[in-house]
């Protein structure tokens, strides 16, 4: 699946799905190395599915490695042939760009993972582990926000609190496991 693409003719739009083996990118990915084609029609690449389907004459591509694994490819292609064979400087520049892009992708994935973990930590910080409802910290921050809003909007505020009388007797009579179950069932009504 193509994630990012810029194609003047619109032939490689983001989200487009193509059979990997029918692309120059697929060859690049499978070989785990750079691929340089300067004039496909005049080479063995004229028989490849990518040339047959798209008539891409020139291609320069490299593998993007993220966390040490092949993640995708960075490829540049043209319907026009390149003036001459790609040089080692061309390939070195491509590999440098691919390494930089791989590092950016790793950083973005790390940032995304950290953001998900931060959100989960924030959720856990305000959630009671047993009942999976808001804990005292959640109550206090929610109450402060509701109070502030009621004052600012000059509106009344109502609060209902449920207290379970003689809850200690449940734990003493049937045990803490049963008491925990009772609390979980009560939380379901909230």
């Amino acid at each position: 699946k193509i994630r990012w693409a810029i194609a003047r003719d619109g032939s490689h739009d983001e989200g487009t799905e193509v059979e990997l083996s029918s692309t120059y990118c697929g060859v690049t990915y499978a070989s785990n190395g750079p691929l340089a084609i300067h004039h496909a029609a005049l080479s063995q690449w004229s028989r490849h599915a990518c040339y047959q389907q798209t008539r891409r004459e020139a291609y320069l591509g490299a593998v993007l490695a993220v966390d040490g694994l092949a993640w995708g490819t960075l490829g540049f292609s043209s319907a026009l042939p390149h003036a001459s064979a790609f040089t080692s400087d061309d390939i070195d520049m491509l590999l440098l760009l691919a390494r930089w892009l791989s590092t950016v992708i790793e950083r973005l994935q790390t940032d995304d993972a950290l953001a998900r973990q931060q959100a989960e930590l924030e959720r856990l910080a305000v959630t009671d582990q047993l009942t999976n409802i808001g804990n005292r910290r959640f109550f206090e921050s929610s109450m402060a926000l509701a109070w502030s809003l009621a004052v600012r909007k000059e509106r009344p505020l109502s609060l209902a609190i449920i207290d379970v009388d003689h809850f200690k007797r449940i734990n003493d009579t049937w045990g803490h496991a049963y008491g925990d179950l009772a609390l979980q069932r009560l939380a379901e009504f909230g």
Side-chain angles (χ1 to χ4, degrees):
K1 184 175 184 178
I2 297 173
R3 293 207 186 177
W4 300 296
I6 299 173
R8 291 183 191 151
D9 64 0
S11 61
H12 294 83
D13 291 330
E14 291 178 23
T16 302
E17 294 192 26
V18 293
E19 181 61 39
L20 191 60
S21 63
S22 70
T23 66
Y24 294 144
C25 291
V27 175
T28 304
Y29 190 83
S31 69
N32 200 31
L35 177 62
I37 304 169
H38 80 282
H39 200 307
L42 302 180
S43 70
Q44 79 273 15
W45 296 106
S46 64
R47 294 181 301 279
H48 191 274
C50 186
Y51 182 76
Q52 295 294 315
Q53 294 169 10
T54 67
R55 294 294 190 223
R56 294 282 174 209
E57 288 287 354
Y59 174 84
L60 186 60
V63 172
L64 298 172
V66 175
D67 294 324
L69 300 172
W71 183 88
T73 61
L74 171 64
F76 300 91
S77 65
S78 173
L80 301 174
H82 195 263
S84 61
F86 289 104
T87 67
S88 62
D89 287 344
D90 295 330
I91 293 170
D92 287 346
M93 181 59 76
L94 173 72
L95 292 172
L96 182 64
L97 184 57
R99 279 195 300 274
W100 171 79
L101 188 54
S102 295
T103 301
V104 169
I105 293 167
E106 284 177 356
R107 191 187 74 232
L108 290 172
Q109 288 181 339
T110 299
D111 290 349
D112 187 50
L114 287 173
R116 284 192 312 273
Q117 289 172 349
Q118 179 68 29
E120 178 63 7
L121 286 173
E122 288 172 6
R123 185 192 70 78
L124 290 172
V126 296
T127 305
D128 178 71
Q129 185 178 0
L130 177 66
T131 60
N132 208 31
I133 61 173
N135 61 15
R136 182 176 179 155
R137 179 181 290 145
F138 177 80
F139 169 76
E140 288 175 352
S141 65
S142 296
M143 190 63 205
L145 182 63
W147 182 263
S148 170
L149 186 63
V151 168
R152 190 170 72 245
K153 300 270 185 175
E154 296 181 358
R155 296 212 171 135
L157 177 66
S158 298
L159 174 65
I161 296 178
I162 298 174
D163 182 34
V164 180
D165 287 334
H166 311 292
F167 189 77
K168 184 177 180 329
R169 279 195 227 160
I170 294 173
N171 282 334
D172 291 346
T173 305
W174 290 292
H176 288 278
Y178 190 81
D180 288 351
L181 185 60
L183 288 173
Q184 289 169 334
R185 294 295 179 255
L186 279 170
E188 291 173 4
F189 292 108

